[in-house]
Amino acid sequence: MIPLTPIRGSPETQAALAAALAAEFPDRAGGPHRILSDGWDCLAGEAEGWIVRVPRTKAACERLRGEPAAAALFARHAPLSVPVLTLRESPVLYTVHRRVPGRPVDPANYEAFDDASRDRLADILARTFAAAHAVPAKEVAAAGIGRTPPWPGADALWQAVRPRLEAPLAALAADVIGDVAAQAPDRAVFGHFDTHGWNMAYDDAAQRLVGLFDFGNAGLGPRHTDLSYPSFVAPDLTHRVVVRYRDITGVRVDLDRVFAIHIVLRLVEVAKERDDVATRVWALTDWVAALERHRARLAALGQGTRPMA
């Protein structure tokens, strides 16, 4: 999940980060450090170009322990810079890695890109997906990497979100949840499963994506699900990625299915949200509107999403 606002963390998490920073940089005990509070799983601090991350929850501890192996496997195959993560268990559980230089690719940044920049971004992402998805299952298993956790079942998800949605959006949610649940099982592939723009490092001078980080969700999971995460940036980006991915791999990908899965992903976030449900619902509504605008532009150009399946 993507945090709605920066999360400073509990006093215990803040104390753990302070202990980790002091252990890693004893000459700078007490600071100054730059606190990076926008991670969902981890609270992080930066010093001297290094990033130190401590988990916020017990579940995040397990994901953090799995990150170094997943990042290392990704680095062996992906055409992007990936941080080398060192896991330490004392004085607290934390990881440390060199900062991947670059800025995130958020929706506003992407909106300002010209067509060529959007194509370059889609190309490198598609090649990254293709490289990861081609990693043999035996190699993934040998690295100790397991399957991604399943999302809630259709009935459970619908019961969780129904009280939180107004009628028009609820009707859409019911249809999409049902459609996705009825789809045939997808091919399991090794993937990042969190390629939203805040996990990207974009070089403005070179006008290209140079790095990818945060491998807490990486694992073996459904191909179409992994391809759905760039939709957090824009439906247009996912469209371009899927077209390029198809050209590179020759694999048939149903773009409408990718978009439907992204709606389910956002519904899962609505269901899990504890503090600010209204903003999660607004984010879903805003994205559905963006998808409708994207499809309208395609229709005006005589194109569509289904032909690229």
Side-chain angles (χ1 to χ4, degrees):
M1 292 174 66
I2 301 174
L4 299 169
T5 57
I7 309 170
R8 291 292 298 182
S10 67
E12 293 79 11
T13 304
Q14 293 182 48
L17 178 59
L21 286 166
E24 203 64 33
F25 306 102
D27 295 338
R28 299 183 60 164
H33 306 114
R34 179 182 172 218
I35 303 302
L36 309 173
S37 57
D38 55 355
W40 183 262
D41 267 357
C42 296
L43 182 65
E46 180 179 359
E48 300 175 14
W50 292 84
I51 305 292
V52 172
R53 299 160 65 229
V54 298
R56 298 180 186 274
T57 64
K58 183 177 180 180
C61 289
E62 296 309 309
R63 287 190 286 271
L64 191 68
R65 285 192 170 96
E67 277 202 55
L73 182 57
F74 227 92
R76 289 200 294 272
H77 295 275
L80 285 172
S81 177
V82 172
V84 177
L85 300 175
T86 300
L87 182 73
R88 306 201 196 283
E89 300 271 356
S90 178
V92 294
L93 176 67
Y94 69 97
T95 61
V96 58
H97 67 269
R98 272 285 184 190
R99 180 179 179 273
V100 179
R103 65 168 173 85
V105 182
D106 61 27
N109 293 334
Y110 184 78
E111 186 66 25
F113 285 178
D114 61 22
D115 214 47
S117 297
R118 293 182 181 193
D119 280 341
R120 281 194 299 271
L121 176 59
D123 177 72
I124 189 64
L125 283 173
R127 289 192 284 120
T128 299
F129 281 119
H133 293 179
V135 177
K138 288 184 178 179
E139 187 176 349
V140 179
I145 299 166
R147 288 188 171 270
T148 58
W151 291 348
D155 290 342
L157 180 57
W158 171 241
Q159 293 302 322
V161 300
R162 182 174 60 176
R164 299 183 167 194
L165 305 176
E166 295 185 0
L169 191 57
L172 172 68
D175 288 344
V176 173
I177 290 171
D179 289 346
V180 170
Q183 291 166 353
D186 203 358
R187 172 73 179 273
V189 295
F190 173 61
H192 186 275
F193 290 92
D194 208 16
T195 49
H196 57 70
W198 294 266
N199 285 339
M200 300 177 189
Y202 188 84
D203 185 331
D204 280 314
Q207 294 188 334
R208 64 186 179 92
L209 187 69
V210 294
L212 191 65
F213 49 92
D214 192 349
F215 292 84
N217 291 332
L220 280 172
R223 185 195 309 272
H224 283 73
T225 300
D226 194 31
L227 290 167
S228 75
Y229 284 86
S231 289
F232 278 111
V233 178
D236 176 80
L237 176 59
T238 297
H239 188 141
R240 292 171 192 252
V241 168
V242 167
V243 171
R244 189 72 185 105
Y245 179 91
R246 180 206 59 185
D247 291 342
I248 293 167
T249 66
V251 173
R252 293 178 63 85
V253 175
D254 184 338
L255 183 56
D256 286 336
R257 182 177 183 176
V258 173
F259 285 145
I261 288 171
H262 187 73
I263 291 174
V264 172
L265 170 57
R266 286 181 178 263
L267 287 168
V268 171
E269 292 194 336
V270 170
K272 289 183 176 180
E273 182 61 41
R274 295 180 180 179
D275 301 321
D276 194 354
V277 174
T279 302
R280 287 284 176 201
V281 172
W282 173 86
L284 169 60
T285 305
D286 185 65
W287 189 84
V288 169
L291 178 59
E292 291 174 350
R293 291 192 299 271
H294 177 68
R295 284 175 165 158
R297 284 195 295 269
L298 294 179
L301 295 171
Q303 300 177 20
T305 57
R306 182 65 65 182
M308 55 186 70

